[in-house]
Amino acid sequence: VLITSHQAFLTQEALKNIAQTTLQNLDDYFENKPLENSNQNMEGKISPNAADELLKKIVYEGLKRYFRHIKPCKDAVETIRMLKEAGYKIALLSDFPPEQKGEIWGIKPYCNVIMGTAAVGALKPSTLPFEKMAEALETPANQILYVGNSLSKDVRGSMKAGMKSAWFASRRKCR
């Protein structure tokens, strides 16, 4: 069983814009393209080292304060704990810093694998992160149920990688 997380801060419009810009920047970075949304003083071009520093500052360090305010949906942690106790392997795969989420949400102790797509070198919906997750779990893709909140990234990517997929589309507020 794979569990991914979703952001629940700011407005939906702001989240969508932040996510789209961040993911586009990451895609461009890993394809060695200029980052169009970088500091304007850099005229749209940035070195890989400077991009790494910005990524750390904005995404890995900058989002920590927001993740502290995001609470898992009711019964999510208990469900993950019960699945783990029943012998299921649990993993967290995220385009955002997964270590922060796992620790803050209290699911880190239940995860066999915590993996960020940046470490893999490809963002969802690429099949590569899903393949690397299956490899780390030592489980064939066709024996994995991937639960995600994005049809275009999570469901499409996991299904292309040969996994079963479930879309978590709760409109209700979490805790």
Side-chain angles (χ1 to χ4, degrees), residues 94-115:
S94 179
D95 285 331
F96 288 94
E99 297 82 6
Q100 293 175 15
K101 295 176 183 180
E103 219 168 88
I104 291 169
W105 294 340
I107 62 171
K108 188 176 180 179
Y110 308 118
C111 291
N112 297 80
V113 174
I114 296 177
M115 186 177 288

Side-chain angles (χ1 to χ4, degrees), residues 40-73:
Q40 291 180 358
N41 296 330
M42 295 180 182
E43 298 177 4
K45 298 188 189 258
I46 188 168
S47 72
N49 287 341
D52 279 339
E53 289 304 312
L54 280 175
L55 189 63
K56 286 177 194 169
K57 179 181 175 185
I58 296 169
V59 178
Y60 290 95
E61 295 302 319
L63 292 178
K64 277 184 180 179
R65 63 183 174 181
Y66 296 110
F67 288 129
R68 286 189 185 97
H69 300 286
I70 301 170
K71 302 295 179 205
C73 291

Side-chain angles (χ1 to χ4, degrees), residues 2 30 93 95 115-136 141 153 156-158 160-163:
L2 301 181
F30 285 115
L93 175 64
D95 285 331
M115 186 177 288
T117 57
V120 173
L123 298 170
K124 299 180 276 180
S126 167
T127 59
L128 185 61
F130 299 99
E131 291 163 354
K132 292 292 184 183
M133 179 66 69
E135 186 178 302
K153 306 286 185 193
R156 189 172 84 195
S158 60
K160 282 177 26 182
M163 298 176 182

